[in-house]
């Protein structure tokens, strides 16, 4: 469950979240995907009133519900209970008409050869719709995700503008990712 995973790699996820929060400009609309690191991004953004946040993740929406001045747009659909996220046709029908400045997503696996991968194939199409909503795609990923290959391809690495990870990420893999033109920020 997501709340159990919030307790693993906590410092790394908080550091990544703080770095990403600093990248969100005044007046921007940002999509925060589901996952533990993106929930930490929501925590880091919770004091902001000058942005709009869109999310399909209950944990993100719950975190931002206490900020009365920030505009929050929740995207519903079929619930993935262990992740507290929404996916499927209803989510995608909203996403297809949405354009945001930045998409911030977690990802189960990021690999220079296999791209962005997920362990939940039922959510693939929704994840692809989310990626397509943004002018910029930022992947928030602690070191355990770098070099990991999950069961289902979400997108090629070329879809990514930036990966924000921590110092424990394998430098050889980071180098291969950078060679493909993806900016990698290490916090």
């Amino acid at each position: 469950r997501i709340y159990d995973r919030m307790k693993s790699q906590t410092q790394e996820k908080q550091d990544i979240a703080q770095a990403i929060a600093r990248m969100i400009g005044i007046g921007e609309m940002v999509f925060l995907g589901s996952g533990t690191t993106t929930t930490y991004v929501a925590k880091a953004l919770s004091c902001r009133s000058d942005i709009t946040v869109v999310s399909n993740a209950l944990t993100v929406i719950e975190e931002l519900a206490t900020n009365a001045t920030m505009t929050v747009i929740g995207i519903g659909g079929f619930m993935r209970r262990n992740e507290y996220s929404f996916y499927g046709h209803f989510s995608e029908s909203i996403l297809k008409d949405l354009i945001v400045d930045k998409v911030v997503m977690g990802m189960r696996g990021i690999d220079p050869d296999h791209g962005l991968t997920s362990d939940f194939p039922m959510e693939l199409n929704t994840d692809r719709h989310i990626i397509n909503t943004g002018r910029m795609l930022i992947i928030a990923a602690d070191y355990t995700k770098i070099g990991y290959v999950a069961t289902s391809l979400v997108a090629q690495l070329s879809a990514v503008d930036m990966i924000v990870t921590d110092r424990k990420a394998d430098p050889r893999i980071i180098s291969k990712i950078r060679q493909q033109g993806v900016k990698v920020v290490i916090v």
Side-chain angles (χ1 to χ4, degrees):
R1 295 210 118 176
I2 190 166
Y3 288 111
D4 295 331
R5 292 193 337 265
M6 293 285 291
K7 299 172 189 164
S8 65
Q9 287 82 42
T10 304
Q11 191 60 56
E12 290 89 348
K13 292 173 183 179
Q14 288 174 339
D15 292 346
I16 291 165
Q18 288 295 327
I20 290 171
R22 288 190 294 272
M23 297 175 192
I24 309 302
I26 293 170
E28 285 192 327
M29 180 180 281
V30 60
F31 189 101
L32 294 181
S34 62
T36 55
T37 309
T38 52
T39 301
Y40 281 115
V41 173
K43 285 178 185 286
L45 291 171
S46 64
C47 62
R48 300 278 300 266
S49 61
D50 58 347
I51 60 174
T52 299
V53 175
V54 184
S55 187
N56 68 325
L58 282 176
T59 55
V60 168
I61 294 166
E62 177 184 40
E63 196 60 52
L64 298 177
T66 58
N67 185 346
T69 57
M70 175 192 292
T71 301
V72 178
I73 302 169
I75 301 212
F78 293 98
M79 183 182 285
R80 181 178 172 196
R81 284 188 168 79
N82 68 329
E83 195 69 17
Y84 291 128
S85 63
F86 294 104
Y87 69 96
H89 168 76
F90 299 111
S91 304
E92 294 156 16
S93 67
I94 295 169
L95 290 165
K96 71 179 176 60
D97 295 326
L98 190 64
I99 301 170
V100 300
D101 297 295
K102 294 181 174 100
V103 171
V104 179
M105 292 181 78
M107 197 56 57
R108 179 66 186 101
I110 300 111
D111 183 80
D113 299 318
H114 296 93
L116 305 179
T117 56
S118 167
D119 283 326
F120 191 67
M122 291 175 65
E123 205 169 42
L124 283 177
N125 205 41
T126 302
D127 285 345
R128 291 172 181 156
H129 274 77
I130 291 169
I131 288 169
N132 288 333
T133 66
R135 293 184 178 102
M136 179 180 196
L137 175 59
I138 301 170
I139 301 296
D142 69 70
Y143 70 96
T144 65
K145 313 298 191 307
I146 304 298
Y148 181 82
V149 179
T151 59
S152 304
L153 175 66
V154 177
Q156 297 296 328
L157 209 51
S158 59
V160 180
D161 295 291
M162 181 187 303
I163 297 169
V164 183
T165 190
D166 60 85
R167 287 178 173 81
K168 294 181 185 175
D170 186 325
R172 293 173 309 223
I173 296 172
I174 295 299
S175 177
K176 288 180 182 177
I177 291 170
R178 285 179 170 150
Q179 287 170 11
Q180 293 190 37
V182 177
K183 182 176 181 175
V184 179
V185 175
I186 298 176
V187 296

